[in-house]
Every structure is written in C-alpha cells, then in structure tokens.
Amino acid sequence: MDDQACPRCKTTKYRNPSLKMLVNVCGHTLCENCVDLLFLKGSGSCPECKIPLRRTNFRVQMFEDPMVEKEVNIRKRILRDFNKREEDFATLREYNDYLEEIETIIYNLANNIDVVETNKRIEQYKRDNKEQIAKSKSKLGRSEYELEEMIELERQKEEERRIELVREDAEAKKKKIREKEALIDELTFSDANAKNIVESFASAIQMQKKEVKASLPAARVTQFSTGIKFGNQGNQNYLPMPKIEEGPLYSYTPIWQQIEGPTPPGWRELQSRGYVSHIRNESQAERAGGFKAHVACLRALQEAMAGLYHNPSQRQTEFTTV
C-alpha cells in the first residue's frame, strides 16, 4: 500500500502518509481530495471508465487490489436479492446450480462481461421471485435482530460481572485495611506478647482464606474431542511411583544377532588389529554430530562377515573355524 498512487493527481503514500484512497462500484480508485473536487455537485463520471458515479457511493478502500473491492461490493448487492437457502430447493443439485448461477453473475459484473444481459437476468429473477425475496429478507432481518439481542444480553452480563468484580475487589481492600487497623490497635492497647498477637492474626487470616477457597465452585473441566481433559490439571490423579521392593518393571535383554560367518572383531580390536588404519578420521563437525569413524568401520565389518558362510541350498548352515 505504500507505493499506491492516485491515478489522477499521482499522489502516493510516500509523499503523503495521510493519503486516503476511495473506491466506487466501478472498481477504480481515487484519493479523497480528487473525489471532493470531481464530485463537488454530488455526481460525476469516473476519470478512467467514464461511467456516471455518485459521491455517496465512494467508500474507503480496504483491500490493496481495487478489483477485490469491486467484487466485494457486487457480491453484497447480489446476495441481498439472491438470498435463497438450501431448504428452498427440492434437491441438492438444484441448490448447487443456483449457487453457480450467482457466481457467474458476480464474475460477469466484476469483469464487465455481458453486463447488459446479466442485469436483465437479475431483473427477471427479481420479478419472478419477488415474494420469496421479501420473505427471505424479513427472515434474515429477524435473525439479525435476535443475534443483536443475544449480543446485547451478553454485553450486559459481562458488564454486571465486571461491576461485581470491582465491588469484590473494593470489599477485599476495605477488609484488609480493617484487619490491619485491628492488628495495630491490638498491638497498641494489649498487654500480651506482640509475637503471639501477630501469629494469631496470621493464623486467622489463613483460616479465612481456606474457607473462601473451599466455598469457591470447582474449576470447570473441559475436554478435547479425543476425551483428554484440560483446565483442571492440578487435580489430576496420576499413577503411584513404583516401589523398589516390588521388583524391576523392565529387564534388559542384550541384542543377539545370528551371524553366518566368522565372528567380527569387537570395538577394542578395531585399533589393535589395524582395521581403522586406512579409514578417514571424522572431522570436528562430524564428531559434534555424534559420528565416529570406528562406528562406520565396525558396521561395515559386521555386514561383510555376517553372510560369508551362508548356503541357501541347506536349511542349516554349518559353521567352520577359519
């Protein structure tokens, strides 16, 4: 939007940060100053497409592409009359054809395709469905009115909750002040030990807090569609920790691999027998990633020796000593 410019006066957002672009039903944009100048008498023609326009129909451009603004305006205007619902049709196919017709009309008007014929189709539809359009508009008006009533009721409840929270907060502050004043008076006029007085006041406050917490309603626990609960994690019951005297829950079994060949060397034999003498050492980056040349060498030897004595013609392979 920063490089957007008025097509008439060529003013850009860079030169005038407060530039406000307006758009009309034709989809062509003008800055607010040019609109005030060209449409001083309330009506005029678009500088680009020359169609007659009215000043009252200009609105602030919301989208970067003016064609999107044009399509949105056309869609709103068309859907005010093409307001049938799925239940108004006998089959789903008829409803889909109706939606496809709406999209065709919007596309033609947005792209200036057969505008005259498209407007004739719209007027014919209005004449044929005059009663249905009026009924749907009244139904839509009632739905919007009910929705506004629900929103207003929710707003009133929210305001009442806010006032109640403010009142409770003010009462809590007053109560703290009274408790502090009572403690000061007790310390000033009582002959008892000051430490005992403070401890008794502290224990009384803790008891009041526990009573208030116990009187509060339980936290509402909601759950995902999978049934996993969330919102009250502090009260979840977990499995107890296993006890040592009950025995281990898992016993490790070493991995055993059947080798049909000579026994490969072990990890410590790689260096002593010279297996790694002709292997490139790992770099610092490879070592940081957990790679070592000994690992690659050991795996290569194991794979090379694993099937040396394998005889596919026999079910049992005899192992011999090399």
Side-chain angles (χ1 to χ4, degrees):
M1 296 291 287
D2 293 340
D3 57 349
Q4 191 175 19
C6 176
R8 182 178 178 275
C9 63
K10 309 302 180 183
T11 304
T12 63
K13 278 274 190 179
Y14 179 77
R15 294 167 55 189
N16 183 13
S18 61
L19 180 69
K20 184 185 294 184
M21 300 299 295
L22 303 180
V23 64
N24 209 310
V25 292
C26 63
H28 298 126
T29 57
L30 287 172
C31 69
E32 189 175 20
N33 294 332
C34 291
V35 171
D36 294 336
L37 181 62
L38 295 176
F39 298 87
L40 184 62
K41 295 182 180 181
S43 62
S45 59
C46 177
E48 295 192 30
C49 60
K50 306 302 180 182
I51 67 171
L53 301 173
R54 298 186 63 84
R55 172 67 178 87
T56 55
N57 292 333
F58 277 94
R59 64 192 183 280
V60 179
Q61 182 178 351
M62 302 297 296
F63 300 95
E64 184 175 357
D65 189 355
M67 290 303 298
V68 177
E69 293 280 352
K70 181 180 179 181
E71 182 179 344
V72 169
N73 181 66
I74 293 173
R75 186 176 296 274
K76 288 181 180 179
R77 178 166 57 88
I78 296 300
L79 292 181
R80 280 199 297 265
D81 297 322
F82 288 78
N83 49 18
K84 290 184 179 180
R85 301 178 181 273
E86 184 177 353
E87 55 267 19
D88 298 328
F89 296 88
T91 61
L92 180 61
R93 179 58 184 268
E94 294 179 1
Y95 179 61
N96 290 333
D97 293 340
Y98 173 74
L99 296 178
E100 185 176 354
E101 181 183 4
I102 294 175
E103 294 301 323
T104 302
I105 292 173
I106 294 173
Y107 180 81
N108 290 345
L109 295 178
N111 296 274
N112 298 323
I113 301 174
D114 297 333
V115 177
V116 177
E117 294 296 328
T118 304
N119 286 325
K120 288 182 179 180
R121 290 171 59 186
I122 296 173
E123 294 300 326
Q124 184 65 35
Y125 174 83
K126 289 181 180 180
R127 289 193 295 268
D128 296 341
N129 300 273
K130 185 177 180 180
E131 296 181 359
Q132 178 69 28
I133 292 172
K135 187 184 300 184
S136 298
K137 283 185 177 179
S138 62
K139 186 186 299 182
L140 182 61
R142 288 196 301 270
S143 300
E144 292 178 351
Y145 179 73
E146 293 175 357
L147 181 60
E148 290 180 357
E149 282 188 339
M150 294 174 60
I151 294 174
E152 183 63 25
L153 182 62
E154 184 67 23
R155 189 182 296 112
Q156 292 178 0
K157 290 182 179 180
E158 188 67 26
E159 182 66 19
E160 292 175 358
R161 285 195 294 266
R162 187 187 66 81
I163 295 174
E164 183 67 20
L165 289 176
V166 171
R167 188 184 63 80
E168 291 179 357
D169 189 33
E171 289 293 334
K173 290 181 180 179
K174 291 180 180 179
K175 186 176 181 181
K176 287 183 179 180
I177 293 174
R178 289 195 299 267
E179 291 175 351
K180 190 179 294 183
E181 292 176 350
L183 176 60
I184 294 174
D185 293 341
E186 187 72 17
L187 291 173
T188 304
F189 301 106
S190 178
D191 296 332
N193 190 353
K195 182 178 180 181
N196 296 334
I197 295 174
V198 173
E199 290 178 353
S200 63
F201 268 84
S203 60
I205 292 173
Q206 291 294 332
M207 185 63 67
Q208 291 176 1
K209 289 182 178 179
K210 290 181 180 179
E211 292 176 356
V212 171
K213 187 176 181 180
S215 63
L216 292 175
R220 185 171 62 91
V221 180
T222 54
Q223 62 185 20
F224 294 104
S225 58
T226 55
I228 301 175
K229 296 181 178 181
F230 65 94
N232 195 19
Q233 291 85 349
N235 297 330
Q236 290 179 354
N237 295 323
Y238 296 98
L239 294 176
M241 291 292 293
K243 298 179 181 179
I244 299 178
E245 55 268 18
E246 293 179 356
L249 299 180
Y250 172 76
S251 58
Y252 174 74
T253 302
I255 298 175
W256 178 80
Q257 181 181 4
Q258 182 179 359
I259 300 175
E260 298 181 0
T263 303
W267 180 266
R268 297 182 179 180
E269 297 175 338
L270 295 177
Q271 187 71 33
S272 61
R273 295 189 179 184
Y275 286 104
V276 294
S277 300
H278 304 287
I279 296 179
R280 178 182 63 83
N281 292 329
E282 66 276 5
S283 62
Q284 292 184 356
E286 292 170 342
R287 191 180 300 111
F291 173 80
K292 289 187 176 181
H294 288 64
V295 177
C297 179
L298 181 60
R299 289 184 178 178
L301 289 172
Q302 290 174 347
E303 293 178 1
M305 298 180 178
L308 286 179
Y309 299 157
H310 177 69
N311 188 354
S313 61
Q314 298 178 359
R315 290 183 175 271
Q316 295 182 351
T317 305
E318 296 180 0
F319 292 88
T320 59
T321 303
V322 178

